[in-house]
Amino acid sequence: MKPEEKVFKILSVDGGGIKGLYSASILKRLEVKFNCQTSDHFDMICGTSTGGLIALALAAKIPAKEICNFYEEKGELIFPKHPVKNIPFIGKIDIGFLKQIGRGGKYKQEGLKKSLIEIFGDLKIGDSNNLLCIPSYSVTEAKPKVFKYDHTEGDLSRDNGALMSDIALATSAAPTYFPMAELEYYNNEQFIDGGVWANNPTLVGLLEALNNFVGTNKSYNKISILSLSSLSITGGNPVGLKNERSFKDWGSDLFETSMNGQSYFTDFFLKKVTEISDTNIDYLRIPSVSISKDQESLIQLDVANKEAYDLMKIKAEEQSLVFEKDQKIKELFTTPKTYIINHG
């Protein structure tokens, strides 16, 4: 006789800057389709960088529709457009890029910090309605950091008192784009974007589940994972590019290439693990849709304008129409989570 199936459900959301609007728009459509709130259907929510913002907001019971509104209303405050100037002996160049390569970062932190405080207020990790895994990287300790809801299984007691706005700042502090996040709650420890090591945080969630919740002598015997990609440049490049490339030549491609490569490998790894693991792991990833060369200039992590928003929403609608028909998606968004957090 087979043991009763007890499923631990994980939602994982990739990083990608303002492209979080794409991910949030997919979740918005799924919430409307199944008349639900995402928080009620996943035991754990993982997110890196902008995906961390989404994960925290979902765990705070903020509907995906409001998260979409956040991106459209605050995007240009977080990523203000810089003027283009004609520099002698160089030519026309974006002033923001000059700041990025030589003046302490492309953007100030104030717009992002103010926007995060507006959406999260004084909510703390301990107010979460879901288990959380939010990757960052501690420059102070020179090692990865995962902010978590302090569940009793792992005997944690470190993060529940931290403000959600601070954690969102720490996971989103992309090097050369924003200053490092210095958090008073952690004795002024300095953090940068979790995308430097876990832009796709699915593996982080899987390991947390296997370590504490799923397996022999644990409460669950199956894992069901929905991994949500950000939009990424999918067209590749021609051969014959300049071989010797400085930071000026790489530009935003340097950070984005690293994030895309890590996300791709994690997806590949998860597909292989599901084939060989003794634990029953059901894995589904909603990938990026194709981006044409003409669209690439709008699909960047810091391009925040109406044209970019409209394109991201179109792409999200296109992908949602495909995946909302998937039986696995239906099961995920119509069956309730079973790990219940009691704040009382």
Side-chain angles (χ1 to χ4, degrees):
M1 182 177 177
K2 290 185 177 181
E4 180 185 355
E5 193 172 75
K6 296 180 180 178
V7 184
F8 187 84
K9 299 199 294 181
I10 301 172
L11 172 65
S12 174
V13 188
D14 284 19
I18 195 63
K19 294 182 293 183
L21 176 59
Y22 167 80
S23 310
S25 295
I26 289 176
L27 292 171
K28 171 186 171 182
R29 183 175 175 94
L30 293 174
E31 287 189 351
V32 170
K33 169 73 175 178
F34 298 106
N35 189 27
C36 69
Q37 276 197 282
T38 301
S39 173
D40 295 331
H41 297 276
F42 290 90
D43 301 292
M44 177 186 291
I45 306 179
C46 309
T48 300
S49 193
T50 196
L53 186 159
I54 293 171
L56 289 162
L58 292 172
K61 288 277 195 175
I62 297 173
K65 179 180 179 180
E66 291 184 26
I67 303 173
C68 292
N69 293 341
F70 171 86
Y71 282 107
E72 293 195 64
E73 292 170 4
K74 304 299 182 183
E76 292 176 70
L77 177 64
I78 297 169
F79 299 110
K81 189 174 181 180
H82 293 97
V84 175
K85 290 190 177 181
N86 200 349
I87 308 297
F89 308 111
I90 297 178
K92 290 183 177 180
I93 191 166
D94 186 291
I95 294 301
F97 187 61
L98 284 180
K99 291 181 177 180
Q100 192 171 17
I101 62 177
R103 289 290 300 277
K106 194 171 184 179
Y107 302 103
K108 298 292 186 183
Q109 193 180 72
E110 284 73 18
L112 175 59
K113 192 169 186 177
K114 180 181 178 182
S115 299
L116 292 173
I117 291 172
E118 283 187 29
I119 190 171
F120 292 116
D122 59 0
L123 286 173
K124 297 179 180 180
I125 295 295
D127 297 317
S128 172
N129 293 284
N130 305 82
L131 295 165
L132 288 168
C133 281
I134 311 294
S136 182
Y137 182 87
S138 170
V139 175
T140 306
E141 294 294 318
K143 63 183 181 182
K145 165 79 173 184
V146 181
F147 298 103
K148 304 175 184 180
Y149 177 86
D150 297 340
H151 54 80
T152 55
E153 287 79 3
D155 195 27
L156 301 175
S157 59
R158 59 180 190 178
D159 296 329
N160 271 10
L163 290 168
M164 286 191 175
S165 58
D166 279 351
I167 302 307
L169 193 69
T171 190
S172 303
T176 77
Y177 286 89
F178 291 108
M180 293 187 290
E182 188 172 289
L183 303 190
E184 184 179 353
Y185 182 80
Y186 297 94
N187 301 307
N188 296 320
E189 189 172 347
Q190 294 175 310
F191 299 94
I192 58 173
D193 197 306
V196 300
W197 69 278
N199 195 60
N200 175 347
T202 311
L203 265 178
V204 177
L206 175 64
L207 291 175
E208 184 73 4
L210 290 173
N211 195 43
N212 294 291
F213 304 103
V214 185
T216 305
N217 298 322
K218 296 187 176 77
S219 300
Y220 299 86
N221 54 24
K222 178 180 178 180
I223 302 174
S224 187
I225 302 172
L226 174 60
S227 176
L228 183 52
S229 172
S230 177
L231 278 176
S232 57
I233 305 303
T234 55
N237 292 289
V239 296
L241 294 177
K242 179 181 177 182
N243 289 330
E244 298 177 353
R245 301 172 74 85
S246 66
F247 185 84
K248 177 181 177 297
D249 299 310
W250 277 104
S252 61
D253 287 345
L254 185 62
F255 194 60
E256 188 128 4
T257 299
S258 173
M259 293 193 305
N260 290 346
Q262 190 278 331
S263 293
Y264 181 90
F265 173 75
T266 298
D267 179 45
F268 176 82
F269 187 94
L270 261 293
K271 288 174 180 175
K272 292 299 180 183
V273 163
T274 58
E275 296 173 4
I276 62 175
S277 175
D278 292 334
T279 302
N280 189 352
I281 302 173
D282 194 6
Y283 170 71
L284 175 65
R285 181 158 170 88
I286 300 180
S288 172
V289 293
S290 296
I291 304 297
S292 72
K293 282 293 180 183
D294 291 338
Q295 296 169 335
E296 286 184 5
S297 63
L298 291 175
I299 303 301
Q300 302 293 324
L301 62 84
D302 63 340
V303 174
N305 57 45
K306 186 178 185 303
E307 291 77 13
Y309 302 156
D310 287 345
L311 181 58
M312 284 186 271
K313 289 188 288 186
I314 289 169
K315 295 297 184 181
E317 183 84 0
E318 174 186 332
Q319 197 71 306
S320 300
L321 286 170
V322 174
F323 278 89
E324 69 180 18
K325 300 179 179 68
D326 191 297
Q327 184 60 31
K328 290 183 180 179
I329 293 290
K330 181 178 180 180
E331 289 176 7
L332 286 168
F333 284 87
T334 56
T335 56
K337 65 180 181 183
T338 54
Y339 190 96
I340 306 300
I341 292 174
N342 186 352
H343 296 296

